[in-house]
Amino acid sequence: MEKREYKCTAATKEALLDAILHLSKEKEYEKITIREICSYAKISIGSFYHHFHSKEDLAVEAYYQVDRLIDEDFKELCKQKNPEEKLHIILKSYIEYVAKEIGILVNTYYKLIMEETSISAFEPERLYYRTLFEILQECSRKGFINNKLDPTETTQYCLRFLRGLIFDWSIHGGAYDLLERFESDYKYLLNGLK
């Protein structure tokens, strides 16, 4: 029997990610089948399993796409801003990503974190984390936040702020405007850092 080879293409993974994000806006995650995901993405089930072990792996990967926020547009926008504005932009971009792209699929991500603590979109080697760390260092050097604060601890503090905000929104079933809540709560975060 001839061995089947699958091309590990970025386009296939992207189609699967788009499919889970799209379908999760139409129906509950638990009711979405792998067959539906593959049908929407126009790929075979075998190809799905070549890229992901499970629907949950796909959901986690969709959440991990936050690193794509740190693109050329983001870098260009930040060139024109002071450090405090950069901090607002990077934190808000994460909230916008969750509110507009991930949606209530975030519930699945949090369930998986609770079951398997080794997964996190906020690992120090990830691009989003490193960029936030650099922005906070710049804020500290230029006097926008307290320069006695440890940059690693400050980064962790900001990430806890994001997690808490998103988790609260999640347990309320997305019942309020996440972006509005971010803007009001961000003022308190900034005051704490100063």
Side-chain angles (χ1 to χ4, degrees), residues 1-89:
M1 181 183 263
E2 187 177 317
K3 183 179 176 184
R4 184 182 292 194
E5 289 188 34
Y6 294 101
K7 291 184 179 179
C8 187
T9 65
T12 300
K13 273 183 116 170
E14 191 68 32
L16 290 167
L17 292 167
D18 287 344
I20 191 72
L21 292 172
H22 176 83
L23 292 169
S24 68
K25 290 174 184 164
E26 292 182 350
K27 64 196 257 184
E28 292 177 39
Y29 169 79
E30 289 77 17
K31 295 181 180 176
I32 300 170
T33 66
I34 290 174
R35 184 173 303 286
E36 288 174 301
I37 293 166
C38 293
S39 176
Y40 185 89
K42 296 182 174 65
I43 65 149
S44 70
I45 291 175
S47 188
F48 173 92
Y49 283 111
H50 178 72
H51 293 283
F52 299 99
H53 290 75
S54 66
K55 184 173 70 165
E56 289 71 25
D57 285 349
L58 177 60
V60 168
E61 184 66 26
Y63 197 83
Y64 276 7
Q65 296 303 304
V66 69
D67 285 337
R68 294 189 321 186
L69 298 173
I70 313 301
D71 60 10
E72 291 307 314
D73 291 340
F74 174 85
K75 292 174 186 173
E76 192 61 38
L77 177 63
C78 283
K79 282 182 188 177
Q80 306 160 16
K81 304 294 182 184
N82 69 44
E84 189 176 311
E85 292 169 324
K86 290 178 189 179
L87 179 60
H88 182 261
I89 291 167

Side-chain angles (χ1 to χ4, degrees), residues 124 129 133 136-137 149-158 160:
Y129 183 104
F133 179 84
L136 286 163
Q137 282 185 311
L149 297 172
D150 176 84
T152 300
E153 288 178 17
T154 307
T155 303
Q156 290 296 325
Y157 177 72
C158 288
R160 282 192 303 274

Side-chain angles (χ1 to χ4, degrees), residues 85-143:
E85 292 169 324
K86 290 178 189 179
L87 179 60
H88 182 261
I89 291 167
I90 192 168
L91 295 177
K92 184 178 180 180
S93 68
Y94 194 91
I95 295 297
E96 286 178 323
Y97 175 71
V98 169
K100 295 178 181 175
E101 297 297 323
I102 297 296
I104 223 62
L105 184 60
V106 74
N107 289 353
T108 301
Y109 175 73
Y110 279 120
K111 284 178 192 172
L112 292 169
I113 283 181
M114 300 303 277
E115 293 168 5
E116 184 182 326
T117 57
S118 65
I119 61 171
S120 177
F122 291 135
E123 293 297 326
E125 67 275 359
R126 298 190 67 85
L127 180 59
Y128 185 89
Y129 183 104
R130 292 192 326 263
T131 306
L132 176 59
F133 179 84
E134 291 165 8
I135 289 171
L136 286 163
Q137 282 185 311
E138 184 182 2
C139 284
S140 180
R141 279 193 314 271
K142 296 191 176 175

